[in-house]
Amino acid sequence: MSGFREAVIDLAAIRSNMTHLRELVGTPHAMAVVKANAYGHGAVPVARAALAGGADWLGVADIDEALQLRDAGIDAPILAWLHDPDADFSAAIDDDVTLGLSSALQLQRAADAAKELGQSASVHLKLETGLSRNGVHESDWAEVFALAVALEQVGLLRVDGVMSHLANASAIDDQQALECFERGVAAARAAGLTPTLVHLASSEAALRLPAARFSMVRLGITLYGLSPFEDATSADLGLVPAMTLRGRVALVRRVSAGAGVSYDYLWRAPEDSTLVLVPLGYADGIPRQASGNALVQIQGTTYPLVGRVAMDQFVVNLGAGNPGVAVGDTVVLFGDPSTGAPSATDWADAAGTINYEIVTRIGHRVPRRHIHG
Ligand SMILES: *Cc1c(COP(=O)(O)O)cnc(C)c1O
């Protein structure tokens, strides 16, 4: 490997995951969700790979994320759905970014920006269906739909889509949200809106709740080859994890039985041991909560992390002997478990969190190297 630390992103995996998911789900449209720097994988190369694999929409949270994709020359449809109260709707409309909007105030601001530009804004109305986050609440549907119709009639915007998001809490909760969403779509149509893109499902519902698929699904975690389910691995779902996180052995050290290791001496060597120093720490997104609890792979064998994860480094125990590990060898923290490496989900389990958080939090100090582009 080339770097001290690196996240290798396999763009062939992104492409094949998207192709596989599209076939599986069968909706007319599929959105690749590339918010948060594509869950840490690098937004621009991932967006291109997802489009090459069959996605026809890109989804992000913030307008700034959408504009960065446009600046890189990506001209596919992009939806942005979470806005600062002073978000620059003008820049978004001018760059042909579709706005996911959640209130009458946002609709009015989008219309004002469109008027100023002499353009028309493309809008997806987001409905609140039980997540209690953004989205128009059922009690405001009539008012907001009427305003949208009026703004359509004067040519300032078009409601091209209606969307919501599920809590994935339980089958009963999701069924209630689905029914609420169906009421909302029907009410929008009855009010005179003609959305062509109706979308509710993210990865979980896309795979396990066919009734939630409508005309488009929004695929995030599965695009990256990770499973959103506790009872199914990536391989079970036919997905390939795209990110491999690696570092190089910075030091190999022999310690005597009883030696304390890392802050707080959470671990002491039970026997004379060979330790390896790995130059990634919580500044790089390695969860401190995984201290003493995770595994890494060196030369095809897995070894346990011992002691506290520090800001820049952690320690791995090779055991009583030294199986031949040397300074400069590659340490795989996680990758595709079919190679014998731990998975991002293993790290999530070790840290008491979810795989989404493990990949998304990999820090700026870790260069992303994209392969198979
Ligand atoms: C992040 C997000 C998604 C993607 O969810 P996954 O579980 O990663 O597939 C879809 N829709 C919305 C609104 C989101 O915020």
Side-chain angles (χ1 to χ4, degrees):
M1 68 177 279
S2 45
F4 199 32
R5 321 175 170 97
E6 66 177 11
V8 179
I9 314 300
D10 184 352
L11 295 174
I14 298 283
R15 283 193 300 275
S16 67
N17 289 336
M18 181 46 84
T19 303
H20 172 66
L21 289 162
R22 245 205 120 150
E23 278 170 11
L24 210 64
V25 168
T27 44
H29 302 278
M31 175 182 286
V33 178
V34 295
K35 62 190 179 187
N37 195 30
Y39 293 34
H41 294 63
V44 170
V46 165
R48 289 212 172 94
L51 292 167
D56 61 346
W57 273 83
L58 299 172
V60 291
D62 304 8
I63 287 171
D64 284 349
E65 297 180 302
L67 298 180
Q68 281 167 23
L69 296 171
R70 286 283 181 259
D71 286 347
I74 291 171
D75 58 10
I78 306 178
L79 175 68
W81 55 69
L82 184 61
H83 309 297
D84 183 273
D86 301 316
D88 191 350
F89 285 166
S90 295
I93 295 165
D94 202 35
D95 253 351
D96 213 12
V97 172
T98 299
L99 297 168
L101 300 182
S102 293
S103 67
L105 182 64
Q106 287 184 339
L107 270 177
Q108 196 57 61
R109 286 193 63 236
D112 291 347
K115 190 170 192 178
E116 189 95 354
L117 289 166
Q119 296 182 29
S120 174
S122 170
V123 169
H124 291 196
L125 279 179
K126 190 164 184 203
L127 308 183
E128 158 58 21
T129 57
L131 197 56
S132 301
R133 304 199 317 204
N134 64 1
V136 184
H137 191 268
E138 187 156 5
S139 57
D140 297 323
W141 287 350
E143 177 208 336
V144 170
F145 296 160
L147 174 62
V149 167
L151 294 170
E152 277 195 346
Q153 280 166 353
V154 293
L156 292 178
L157 57 81
R158 235 202 75 73
V159 176
D160 292 313
V162 174
M163 66 184 287
S164 187
H165 194 40
L166 293 170
N168 304 316
S170 73
I172 291 170
D173 291 308
D174 286 350
Q175 187 57 36
Q176 279 176 3
L178 176 63
E179 285 165 16
C180 180
F181 184 62
E182 285 173 334
R183 278 199 307 281
V185 174
R189 292 216 164 100
L193 298 170
T194 53
T196 51
L197 287 152
V198 174
H199 50 113
L200 175 65
S202 56
S203 292
E204 276 202 50
L207 292 181
R208 292 203 173 160
L209 188 58
R213 289 175 183 162
F214 298 97
S215 55
M216 180 161 75
V217 293
R218 302 184 304 264
L219 301 167
I221 198 71
T222 46
L223 172 65
Y224 305 100
L226 300 178
S227 171
F229 305 116
E230 279 180 13
D231 62 357
T233 64
S234 299
D236 293 339
L237 302 175
L239 301 171
V240 179
M243 183 189 287
T244 301
L245 181 66
R246 327 200 297 184
R248 297 184 80 199
V249 171
L251 179 82
V252 179
R253 170 185 294 284
R254 282 293 291 171
V255 296
S256 304
V261 170
S262 192
Y263 296 125
D264 308 329
Y265 287 175
L266 209 62
W267 186 84
R268 287 176 188 269
E271 58 186 342
D272 292 359
S273 304
T274 307
L275 306 180
V276 153
L277 188 65
V278 181
L280 289 104
Y282 58 78
D284 306 301
I286 309 308
R288 187 171 176 275
Q289 291 88 338
S291 294
N293 212 9
L295 299 174
V296 300
Q297 186 193 41
I298 309 175
Q299 294 179 354
T301 303
T302 50
Y303 298 100
L305 193 153
V306 290
R308 281 255 191 261
V309 173
M311 187 182 291
D312 314 301
Q313 49 198 295
F314 63 82
V315 174
V316 167
N317 179 24
L318 301 183
N322 181 353
V325 174
V327 167
D329 282 358
T330 297
V331 182
V332 179
L333 285 76
F334 60 80
D336 181 351
S338 75
T339 66
S343 65
T345 306
D346 292 332
W347 276 82
D349 292 344
T353 183
I354 53 174
N355 51 18
Y356 292 71
E357 188 175 354
I358 297 296
V359 290
T360 305
R361 291 185 72 159
I362 300 307
H364 289 293
R365 208 164 58 176
V366 180
R368 272 61 169 177
R369 184 158 65 84
H370 293 93
I371 59 168
H372 303 144

